[in-house]
């Protein structure tokens, strides 16, 4: 049955199951990986930054090609053109690099030259030996799939080059050139492909559908086998799923997939395998941005960059019959086939001097003036600029223009270039490799020009490249490369391991120049990588108990549906917010971007339930600057916000809740959780302060097998009036008016109308039942005076397993106040007993004769101190031995009783490790603490009673107790 590429279920909103594999990019690397995985029955999603190009869409004149070009000029500091434009040109210092963007990648606009990888490249010291095991079979498979064909006719430009090549560029031999172009008019290829008309416009995209670009072979098979294709979507970075790597129980870790693939700071999809095939610049940039968010990568990232020894020149004004201009539709059928310009590159000659010279046809859409004086200089010197203008005028007016052609030099540079990511702008910067053969190539161009006549327009750039290689080099050692020969990305924390499920499969793997057009080389490497990749994915699925069914691509036509990232049907509001303040006494700034509406789009606020409207809930992206703690920015890798959160226990109070998971470049993870608390007291007298103050807690997440203590800091962040106005002015989205009304209504309800939210029936224990209360043991104890009391014991089992030898715990004994349960609060998610157990303390709770459940007649507080507390401590000593010491935490009357017990000599002070007494106001603060290490131990009492004799303490114990009670 015919498969269709769709874009439904694009983002993971908690309902999407994710994918087995996500392939980023659709060039020679990504299309092959997607095809082989889909054919193996794997659930694959392919992401492409550009759009799908039909043959009729390719530019055919200068105005159209300018609109299909994006230029990034570092020298002038400007960028213009669509980000998903077909041609992406990077000008930096004395270098120029051009890449293609679209479904099919570089295969859309290159010459389609299919040349086997030279032996010299395969013998290079950097070349992975593992690739040689099945290189020939992979190369043959790629050539067959790309339908490489020999050129049937020697076109005029090829004839001229044959005459001038011998002797002008040293000893040469003709390189056999095959093209992924259909030349057979009798048997057109599948998918209604056309036949090459030799118009010479290959380098601007074939207007007659004759080129076998990857969207017509590999991608076609992938889609028919079930691959989902997403176009006009740019991947920014990938992050390890926190559920897989860290001890954090949050919403990150959806569906237990390994990786989160982000399209911006907020939207993402999940996958077990991620294959980066976005090209040299694209893949390297994604890894750099992932490294900023904690992905541990080799220091070799960005190194080993090669321009494949590219040098470009333009020869114009020659009397030779070059016929090197492309033809439009009106002219192409007026000329015999063999006299037409032919495909862009139809001849190639390799010199004994170490480089290759190719002639190329200039497409009719290319602006000729760019090649005649604007980006070039002329040789020999003279009036070369005016020659370009005159020649263009003749061309426009229909006069026969002088003959011209493009000269391309390819060779072996030093592969020592560098790719970098500019902080702040997140733009790619690069330094090209040193090309020792450049003077020889220029001299060869000059000799050819001298023999053919005319003017040579040499590029003013030291490096002009369309064949980019390296940056994520494959190597057996992490110190020399980013990936192993199978394309798996090294984990910098351990030189022997790789990041499970993270692959690179494109030209960025190739560690050296190949000396010729690298298309077939890239495809061969991709075929090799795909073999290991498919085995890895299938093994992972079998481990999960899932089976894959091999699929056969349907040879019939296929349909394709494209869609952009943000659909126009979804009601969303985008907000920017900047908050500044101090956390743990250190300056902190949060730059947040929020996308509101993460619920059901058709949902309206349900009256009486207190559930906030979907437009008041959203996802959060951005970064936090906390320089005193981390020198680099902390990026939000997962975050949520609710601007109208209601707690059924406090129905009159309105909360704004922020929950951010932050990633540092060091690999550490942090949680920044904050609340704005709006109370309806005094008719909103403090409304402004409450609405603009975020009370935050900053926590470091402990990694697996880590014994490091959690770092917990508290503080406040605030938004100024200026920043608040900026936030409202910069609101975006089709529901921003509705959003403002909802938020204003929520504040009006809190401060003016003072209407409670929620329903008493909604007050249940579901919020605390998500984590069952620890089970304990109830000990019945009989005191010295014959009274029956009880004491509950909770053991910390995860600490018991870590104790060694004679190590013992120091138990904590909790003493309540009069008829008040202060510590054991099962309805609270973070009561003191849970907190103590999480920190590794065995906990005891005394239920003395003060407790309401214990029937009693007449007694005094002194009885609790004389009999109950000593009985409880004796029980602890009975279980732990006579040498054990006890931490005591006492509240109110319990504090008075423990002082009577110690100072009256009923309990030896040597048995007390520490003592902390809390009054009623302190208790509520303590119950919210997430750690007891801030206050335990607080009061050592080993010397408390040494100055008093045993008898004197007994005589004065009652008097002291009465005085303390009166005070």
């Amino acid at each position: 049955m015919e498969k269709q590429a769709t874009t439904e279920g694009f983002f993971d909103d908690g309902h999407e199951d994710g994918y087995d594999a996500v392939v980023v990019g659709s060039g020679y690397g990504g299309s092959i990986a997607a095809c082989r995985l889909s054919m193996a029955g794997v659930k694959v999603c392919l992401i492409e930054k550009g759009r799908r190009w039909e043959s009729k869409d390719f530019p055919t004149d200068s105005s159209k090609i300018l609109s299909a070009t994006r230029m990034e000029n570092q020298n002038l500091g400007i960028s213009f053109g669509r980000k998903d434009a077909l041609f992406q040109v990077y000008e930096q210092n004395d270098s120029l690099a051009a890449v293609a963007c679209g479904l099919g990648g570089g295969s859309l606009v290159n010459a389609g030259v299919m040349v086997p990888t030279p032996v010299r490249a395969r013998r290079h010291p950097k070349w992975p030996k593992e690739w040689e095991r099945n290189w020939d079979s992979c190369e043959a498979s790629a050539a067959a799939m790309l339908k490489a064909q020999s050129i049937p006719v020697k076109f005029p430009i090829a004839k001229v080059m044959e005459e001038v090549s011998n002797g002008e560029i040293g000893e040469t031999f003709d390189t056999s050139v095959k093209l992924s172009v259909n030349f057979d008019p009798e048997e057109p290829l599948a998918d209604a492909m056309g036949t090459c008309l030799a118009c010479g416009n290959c380098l601007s995209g074939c207007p007659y559908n004759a080129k076998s670009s990857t969207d017509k072979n590999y991608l076609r098979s992938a889609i028919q086998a079930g691959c989902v294709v997403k176009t006009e979507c740019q991947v920014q970075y990938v992050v390890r799923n926190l559920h897989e790597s860290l001890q954090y129980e949050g919403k990150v870790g959806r569906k237990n997939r390994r990786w989160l693939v982000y399209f911006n700071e907020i939207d993402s999809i999940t996958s077990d395998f991620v294959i980066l095939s976005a090209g040299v610049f694209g893949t390297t940039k994604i890894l750099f941005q992932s490294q900023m968010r904690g992905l541990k990568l080799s220091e070799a990232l960005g190194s080993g960059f090669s321009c494949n020894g590219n040098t470009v020149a333009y020869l114009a004004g020659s009397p030779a019959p070059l016929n090197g201009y492309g033809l439009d539709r009106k002219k192409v059928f007026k000329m015999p086939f063999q006299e037409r310009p032919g495909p862009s590159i139809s001849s190639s000659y390799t010199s004994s001097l170490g480089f290759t010279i190719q002639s190329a046809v200039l497409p009719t859409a290319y602006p000729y003036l760019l090649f005649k004086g604007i980006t070039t200089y002329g040789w020999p010197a003279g009036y070369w600029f005016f020659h370009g203008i005159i020649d263009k005028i003749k061309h426009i007016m229909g006069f026969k223009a002088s003959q011209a052609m493009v000269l391309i030099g390819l060779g072996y540079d030093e592969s020592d270039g560098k790719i970098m990511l500019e902080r702040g702008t997140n733009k790619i910067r690069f330094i090209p490799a040193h090309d020792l053969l450049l003077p020889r190539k220029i001299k060869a161009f000059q000799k050819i020009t001298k023999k053919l006549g005319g003017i040579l327009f040499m590029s003013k750039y030291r490096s002009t490249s369309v064949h980019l290689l390296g940056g994520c080099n494959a190597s057996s050692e992490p110190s020399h490369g980013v990936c192993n020969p199978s394309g798996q990305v090294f984990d910098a924390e351990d030189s022997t391991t790789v990041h499970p499920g993270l692959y690179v499969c494109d030209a960025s793997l190739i560690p050296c120049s190949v000396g010729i057009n690298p298309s077939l080389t890239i495809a061969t490497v991709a075929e090799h990588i795909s073999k290991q990749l498919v085995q890895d994915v299938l093994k992972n699925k079998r481990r999960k108990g899932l089976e894959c069914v091999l699929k056969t691509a349907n040879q019939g036509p296929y349909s394709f549906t494209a869609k952009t990232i943000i659909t126009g049907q979804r009601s969303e509001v985008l907000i920017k917010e900047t908050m500044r303040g101090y956390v743990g006494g250190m300056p902190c700034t949060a730059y947040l971007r929020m996308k509101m509406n993460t619920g059901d789009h058709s949902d309206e606020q349900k009256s009486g339930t207190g559930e906030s409207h979907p437009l008041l809930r959203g996802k959060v992206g951005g970064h936090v600057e906390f320089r005193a703690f981390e020198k680099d920015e902390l990026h939000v890798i997962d975050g949520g916000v609710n601007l109208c959160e209601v707690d059924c226990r406090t129905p009159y109070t309105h909360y704004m809740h922020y929950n951010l998971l932050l990633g540092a470049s060091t690999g550490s993870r942090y949680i920044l959780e904050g609340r704005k608390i709006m109370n309806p007291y005094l008719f909103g007298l403090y409304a402004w302060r409450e609405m603009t103050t975020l009370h935050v807690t900053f926590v470091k997440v402990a990694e697996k097998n880590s014994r490091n203590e959690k770092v917990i800091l508290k503080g406040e962040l605030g938004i100024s009036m200026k920043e608040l106005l900026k936030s409202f002015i910069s609101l975006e989205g089709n529901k921003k008016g509705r959003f403002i009304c909802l938020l204003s209504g929520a504040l009006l309800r809190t401060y003016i109308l003072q209407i409670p939210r929620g329903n008493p029936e909604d007050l249940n224990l579901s919020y605390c039942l998500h984590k069952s209360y620890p089970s304990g043991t109830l000990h019945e104890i009989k005191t010295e005076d014959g009274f029956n009391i009880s004491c509950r014991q909770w053991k910390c089992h995860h600490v018991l397993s870590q104790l060694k030898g004679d190590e013992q715990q120091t138990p904590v004994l909790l003493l309540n106040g009069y008829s008040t349960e202060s510590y054991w609060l099962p309805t609270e998610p973070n009561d003191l007993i849970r907190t103590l157990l999480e920190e590794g303390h065995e906990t005891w709770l005394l239920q003395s004769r003060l407790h309401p459940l214990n029937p009693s007649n007449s007694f005094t507080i002194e009885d609790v101190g004389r009999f109950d507390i000593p009985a409880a401590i004796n029980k602890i000593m009975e279980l732990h031995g006579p040498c054990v010491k006890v931490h005591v935490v006492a509240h109110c009357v319990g504090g008075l009783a423990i002082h009577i017990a110690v100072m009256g000599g009923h309990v030896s002070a040597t048995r007390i490790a520490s003592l902390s007494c809390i009054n009623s106001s302190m208790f509520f603060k303590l119950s919210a603490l997430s750690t007891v290490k801030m206050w335990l131990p607080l009061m050592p009492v080993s010397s408390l009673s040494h100055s008093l004799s045993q008898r004197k303490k007994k005589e004065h114990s009652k008097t002291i107790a009465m005085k303390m009670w009166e005070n």
Side-chain angles (χ1 to χ4, degrees):
M1 185 171 179
E2 184 176 317
K3 300 289 183 181
Q4 180 173 344
T6 65
T7 56
E8 303 197 359
F10 189 80
F11 297 118
D12 283 343
D13 290 324
H15 308 292
E16 173 72 27
D17 183 50
Y19 297 92
D20 296 328
V22 167
V23 180
V24 183
S26 60
Y28 288 108
S31 60
I32 292 176
C35 175
R36 300 310 180 195
L37 287 168
S38 299
M39 299 286 284
V42 177
K43 184 180 179 183
V44 182
C45 176
L46 183 139
I47 310 296
E48 170 55 49
K49 174 183 174 182
R51 69 178 182 90
R52 177 171 168 79
W53 289 82
E54 301 285 354
S55 57
K56 65 180 184 299
D57 300 328
F58 288 116
T60 54
D61 56 52
S62 298
S63 61
K64 290 182 179 179
I65 203 169
L66 288 176
S67 64
T69 301
R70 175 174 176 80
M71 185 75 181
E72 291 194 6
N73 191 313
Q74 182 195 26
N75 303 334
L76 301 177
I78 59 173
S79 301
F80 56 87
R82 288 171 54 94
K83 289 187 176 181
D84 60 348
L86 179 61
F87 298 95
Q88 310 268 324
V89 182
Y90 301 84
E91 181 181 0
Q92 297 183 20
N93 300 323
D94 59 350
S95 305
L96 190 76
V99 297
C101 177
L103 190 65
S107 67
L108 296 174
V109 295
N110 67 5
V113 178
M114 297 284 116
V115 181
T117 309
V119 175
R120 175 177 174 177
R122 294 168 61 180
R123 290 179 179 175
H124 194 281
K126 294 182 180 179
W127 190 267
K129 304 304 178 186
E130 292 83 352
W131 289 357
E132 293 300 310
R133 296 172 186 170
N134 59 354
W135 185 267
D136 293 336
S137 62
C138 290
E139 192 172 70
S141 176
M145 195 72 175
L146 293 168
K147 301 176 177 65
Q149 297 184 10
S150 299
I151 304 172
V153 176
K154 185 163 286 190
F155 293 97
I157 196 169
K159 294 178 180 178
V160 173
M161 282 299 296
E162 184 179 27
E163 294 177 3
V164 301
S165 60
N166 290 327
E168 300 302 328
I169 55 176
E171 296 183 9
T172 62
F173 62 90
D174 186 359
T175 306
S176 178
V177 173
K178 289 187 177 182
L179 306 178
S180 56
V181 175
N182 180 31
F183 292 104
D184 193 343
E186 302 296 331
E187 298 182 8
L189 299 178
D191 221 10
M193 280 188 63
T195 303
C196 180
L197 300 180
C199 67
N201 292 304
C202 305
L203 298 183
S204 59
C206 181
Y208 304 107
N209 199 33
K211 187 189 295 185
S212 183
S213 50
T214 59
D215 58 325
K216 298 181 178 66
N217 38 69
Y218 282 109
L219 287 179
R220 173 179 175 273
S221 298
I223 292 173
Q224 290 175 342
C227 178
V228 178
V229 175
K230 317 287 186 181
T231 57
E232 300 177 70
C233 305
Q234 184 176 5
V235 171
Q236 299 294 336
Y237 51 88
V238 296
V239 177
R240 278 297 300 273
N241 195 327
L242 197 66
H243 179 85
E244 289 283 329
S245 59
L246 296 177
Q247 297 173 344
Y248 172 60
E249 297 178 0
K251 69 176 182 178
V252 182
R254 292 161 283 180
K255 304 300 180 183
N256 296 339
R257 299 289 189 178
R258 286 173 173 166
W259 295 96
L260 298 172
V261 182
Y262 280 85
F263 301 91
N264 49 52
E265 293 179 318
I266 299 173
D267 299 308
S268 66
I269 58 176
T270 59
S271 177
D272 282 328
F273 287 81
V274 178
I275 299 92
L276 300 179
S277 307
V280 170
F281 286 163
T283 295
T284 308
K285 183 177 181 180
I286 290 172
L287 288 178
F288 269 125
Q289 294 193 112
S290 302
Q291 188 180 48
M292 292 166 57
R293 289 158 177 83
L295 187 66
K296 297 294 186 178
L297 299 172
S298 168
E299 293 182 358
L301 178 62
S303 302
F305 172 55
S306 169
C307 295
N308 202 34
N310 279 187
T311 307
V312 179
Y314 181 73
L315 192 156
S318 172
L322 299 174
N323 203 7
Y325 287 118
L327 302 177
D328 57 25
R329 288 183 177 271
K330 296 180 180 179
K331 297 179 181 179
V332 70
F333 294 106
K334 296 180 181 180
M335 188 178 297
F337 182 80
Q338 63 274 12
E339 295 181 8
R340 296 174 189 170
S344 288
I345 295 178
S346 57
S347 64
S348 178
Y349 293 90
T350 300
S351 171
S352 59
L353 299 176
F355 56 86
T356 297
I357 297 292
Q358 295 176 345
S359 58
V361 180
L362 193 68
T364 185
Y366 278 24
Y368 301 154
L369 283 176
L370 289 176
F371 297 87
K372 295 182 177 181
I374 296 180
T375 61
T376 59
Y377 63 89
W379 181 89
Y383 301 100
W384 47 269
F385 180 75
F386 298 102
H387 174 276
I389 296 177
I390 295 171
D391 198 49
K392 181 63 177 178
I393 294 174
K394 290 169 63 179
H395 187 80
I396 294 174
M397 296 180 65
F399 295 108
K400 185 177 181 181
S402 57
Q403 298 294 319
M405 69 174 176
V406 176
L407 292 171
I408 302 173
L410 303 93
Y412 298 90
D413 59 29
E414 297 299 301
S415 303
D416 57 354
K418 183 76 174 177
I419 301 174
M420 300 150 288
L421 185 68
E422 186 178 67
R423 294 295 178 94
T425 63
N426 280 345
K427 290 185 178 181
I428 283 292
R429 299 288 180 248
F430 66 92
I431 301 172
H434 291 87
D435 186 2
L436 301 180
L437 298 177
L438 181 61
R440 297 183 183 181
K441 285 180 282 188
I442 294 176
K443 190 172 183 179
F445 289 161
Q446 292 174 343
K447 287 184 177 181
I448 292 173
T449 302
K450 188 174 182 180
K451 188 165 185 177
L452 294 179
I455 295 178
L456 178 67
F457 292 88
M458 282 297 306
S459 171
K460 68 179 182 181
Y461 302 102
R462 175 169 66 92
S463 173
T464 305
S465 179
V466 293
H467 298 155
L468 307 180
L469 304 171
C472 302
N473 293 3
S475 174
S476 300
E477 297 293 333
S479 58
H480 298 96
V482 178
C483 307
N484 65 17
S486 296
Q488 296 171 293
V489 178
F490 286 122
D491 186 346
E493 284 189 336
D494 188 346
S495 60
T496 62
T497 62
V498 295
H499 290 289
L502 184 59
Y503 281 76
V504 170
C505 184
D506 60 12
S508 61
L509 283 174
I510 300 176
C512 62
S513 302
V514 296
I516 45 84
N517 308 73
S519 300
L520 186 57
T521 301
I522 300 168
T524 304
V525 171
E527 288 280 9
H528 173 86
I529 299 297
S530 297
K531 291 181 182 296
Q532 168 67 28
L533 174 61
V534 170
Q535 293 177 8
D536 198 3
V537 176
L538 295 180
K539 181 180 178 181
N540 181 68
K541 290 182 71 67
R542 284 194 296 269
R543 187 169 61 249
K544 293 183 177 182
L546 303 174
E547 294 294 333
C548 293
V549 179
L550 294 176
K551 298 182 180 181
T552 303
N554 184 358
Q555 295 303 315
Y558 71 101
S559 57
F560 179 87
T561 303
K563 204 170 188 179
T564 55
I565 288 182
I566 301 177
T567 65
Q569 301 299 320
R570 181 163 181 166
S571 301
E572 292 176 339
V573 176
L574 300 176
I575 309 171
K576 295 179 181 178
E577 190 173 53
T578 301
M579 292 182 286
R580 294 179 171 86
Y582 292 86
V583 177
M586 297 173 282
C588 179
T589 305
Y591 301 90
L592 305 181
R593 292 176 57 88
M594 298 179 284
K595 178 183 286 187
M596 312 307 292
N597 192 4
T598 58
D600 185 357
H601 310 155
S602 61
D603 245 357
E604 291 294 330
Q605 188 173 8
K606 299 177 182 179
S607 177
T609 65
E611 181 182 353
S612 60
H613 192 281
L615 272 177
L616 297 179
R617 303 193 302 268
K619 296 180 179 179
V620 184
H623 67 274
V624 175
E625 290 183 358
F626 201 4
R627 303 299 186 193
F629 207 79
E630 287 278 356
K631 65 176 182 179
D632 295 326
E633 296 173 351
L634 299 174
H635 294 271
V636 179
I637 58 177
D638 192 33
V641 63
N642 189 344
L643 297 182
C644 189
E645 185 180 74
V646 177
D647 191 332
C648 293
R649 296 169 295 179
T650 55
Y652 287 91
T653 303
H654 173 188
Y655 300 96
M656 293 185 182
H657 187 207
Y658 295 70
N659 194 343
L660 311 180
L661 173 64
L662 308 174
S665 60
T666 58
S668 299
R669 294 287 185 263
Y670 303 89
I671 299 170
L672 191 149
E673 188 167 7
R675 269 189 173 188
K676 295 178 182 177
I677 305 172
M678 283 146 281
N679 296 299
Y681 308 127
L682 301 178
F683 296 99
L685 184 63
Y686 298 101
W688 172 255
R689 175 174 175 80
E690 291 176 343
M691 287 188 298
T692 58
T693 302
L694 184 70
H695 305 275
V696 302
T697 302
F698 185 80
V699 183
K700 182 176 182 179
V701 182
E703 299 184 8
K704 284 185 178 180
N705 304 323
S706 174
R707 296 188 178 182
N708 294 335
E709 299 179 0
K710 291 183 179 179
V711 176
I712 300 180
L713 303 174
K714 293 180 179 294
E716 291 182 355
L717 299 178
I719 182 169
S720 63
M721 173 67 78
K722 179 180 177 182
E723 293 295 342
L724 188 62
L725 289 175
K726 283 183 179 180
S727 295
F728 279 102
I729 293 173
S730 62
L731 277 177
E732 300 177 16
N734 52 2
K735 289 288 183 179
K736 57 185 180 181
R738 176 70 170 152
F739 168 78
I740 294 175
C741 290
L742 288 169
L743 185 59
S744 301
L747 297 174
L748 177 68
R749 179 172 180 168
T750 300
Y751 287 113
I752 307 300
L753 302 179
Q754 297 189 4
I755 301 174
R757 294 175 173 83
N759 192 319
E761 297 177 358
D762 297 327
L763 184 58
N764 55 56
L765 301 182
S766 60
Y767 58 86
C768 63
L769 294 179
H770 71 281
K771 185 177 180 182
S772 60
Y773 204 85
S775 59
T777 304
L778 182 64
H779 298 278
E780 298 290 343
I781 305 174
K782 191 168 186 177
T783 64
E784 186 179 347
D785 63 343
F787 195 87
N788 292 320
I789 63 172
S790 59
C791 195
R792 285 190 174 272
Q793 175 194 18
W794 287 271
K795 292 184 178 180
C796 185
H797 297 286
H798 71 275
V799 173
L800 287 174
S801 61
Q802 300 177 9
L803 294 178
K804 299 178 181 179
D806 297 330
E807 290 185 12
Q808 290 188 352
Q809 294 175 310
T810 301
V812 178
L813 176 62
L814 305 179
L815 304 178
N816 280 314
Y818 180 69
S819 69
T820 302
E821 181 55 74
S822 306
Y823 307 112
W824 182 25
L825 306 173
T827 60
E828 293 295 325
N830 290 313
D831 66 343
L832 185 57
I833 291 176
R834 289 190 200 226
T835 304
L836 286 167
L837 292 175
E838 289 177 1
E839 292 295 330
H841 295 278
E842 179 182 323
T843 306
W844 293 71
L845 176 62
L846 176 61
Q847 294 177 342
S848 67
R849 63 189 72 199
L850 290 172
H851 200 278
L853 295 180
N854 291 330
S856 58
N857 297 315
S858 60
F859 64 91
T860 64
I861 300 176
E862 185 181 12
D863 295 332
V864 177
R866 289 183 61 188
F867 304 113
D868 295 3
I869 294 176
I873 293 179
N874 289 336
K875 185 65 177 179
I876 296 174
M877 293 172 61
E878 177 185 334
L879 296 179
H880 289 278
C883 297
V884 69
K885 291 188 177 183
V886 181
H887 292 295
V888 179
V889 180
H891 172 223
C892 196
V893 174
L896 185 61
I898 185 62
H899 278 83
I900 292 174
V902 174
M903 299 180 70
H906 310 300
V907 173
S908 174
T910 59
R911 300 274 69 83
I912 307 300
S914 66
L915 172 60
S916 179
C917 296
I918 318 162
N919 60 28
S920 299
S921 62
M922 289 177 62
F923 159 69
F924 294 104
K925 296 181 180 180
L926 180 61
S927 64
L929 287 176
S930 59
T931 180
V932 295
K933 293 187 178 180
M934 299 172 63
W935 54 268
L936 191 69
L938 289 179
M939 182 180 174
V941 295
S942 57
S943 60
L944 184 62
S945 59
H946 288 304
S947 60
L948 298 175
S949 66
Q950 192 75 2
R951 175 180 295 181
K952 189 174 182 179
K953 286 187 287 183
K954 288 183 178 180
E955 292 175 354
H956 293 279
S957 60
K958 189 171 182 178
T959 304
I960 293 172
M962 292 303 297
K963 288 183 178 180
M964 292 179 67
W965 179 255
E966 291 172 358
N967 292 334

